[in-house]
Amino acid sequence: MSNEKLSLKYVIPFSNLGIKDIDTVGGKNASLGEMISNLHASGIRVPNGFATTSVAFNEFLICNDLVEKIDQKLKNLDVEDLTKLTATGAEIRDWINKASFQVEFEKEIRDAFAVIDEKQGVSSAVRSSATAEDLPQASFAGQQ
């Protein structure tokens, strides 16, 4: 299976990404794509992989009826009250952990892992890469 056979809706191979894709896959993922594209010709190897898209995340929340539920939970939250903030964060994480992936999204992830396994073996790492993580005016690094 080649990268071309992967959908570009939920999963995009790093080799198809560049800095223009920050809004779709986040800064780390877009930068990995840039490095693969620009350093390969120099003989510098950058491990390939894939990114899941912001569309996948947004549809995950919608399909699991979490958007309004989370919005309501956060609407009147006093972020200065660390006890309530901690409890609310734990509750929202629990909702997300119990939610199910869309069937198509799960299939695309499995297909992407099959491509990596076919070419490179099974070693893998998972990193967060938020679309607003490393902005010129703000940084949320490590928040995921």
Side-chain angles (χ1 to χ4, degrees), residues 20 22 49-51 53 55 66 83 89 91 98 103 113 123 130 132 141 144:
K20 69 190 180 322
I22 289 175
F50 62 91
T53 65
V55 169
L66 291 175
T83 302
E91 186 174 15
K98 289 179 178 172
V103 172
F113 269 115
S123 295
Q144 311 307 318

Side-chain angles (χ1 to χ4, degrees), residues 27 35-36 40 91 95 97 115 127 138:
M35 288 189 291
I36 288 169
H40 181 74
E91 186 174 15
W95 295 340
N97 287 332
V115 169
R127 292 290 314 262

Side-chain angles (χ1 to χ4, degrees), residues 11-100:
V11 172
I12 305 175
F14 290 153
S15 57
N16 292 3
L17 294 174
I19 207 68
K20 69 190 180 322
D21 298 304
I22 289 175
D23 289 347
T24 304
V25 297
K28 285 187 200 90
N29 289 324
S31 294
L32 282 166
E34 280 291 314
M35 288 189 291
I36 288 169
S37 298
N38 294 310
L39 300 176
H40 181 74
S42 301
I44 299 171
R45 293 179 36 189
V46 178
N48 203 358
F50 62 91
T52 57
T53 65
S54 56
V55 169
F57 176 71
N58 291 329
E59 287 187 17
F60 167 80
L61 293 177
I62 291 166
C63 289
N64 286 283
D65 297 318
L66 291 175
V67 176
E68 189 174 327
K69 195 173 177 180
I70 292 170
D71 285 347
Q72 287 301 313
K73 196 68 178 175
L74 297 177
K75 189 175 187 177
N76 296 313
L77 178 65
D78 177 5
V79 296
E80 299 298 323
D81 183 340
L82 294 181
T83 302
K84 285 186 181 177
L85 184 63
T86 300
T88 300
E91 186 174 15
I92 292 170
R93 278 190 304 279
D94 188 53
W95 295 340
I96 290 170
N97 287 332
K98 289 179 178 172
S100 300

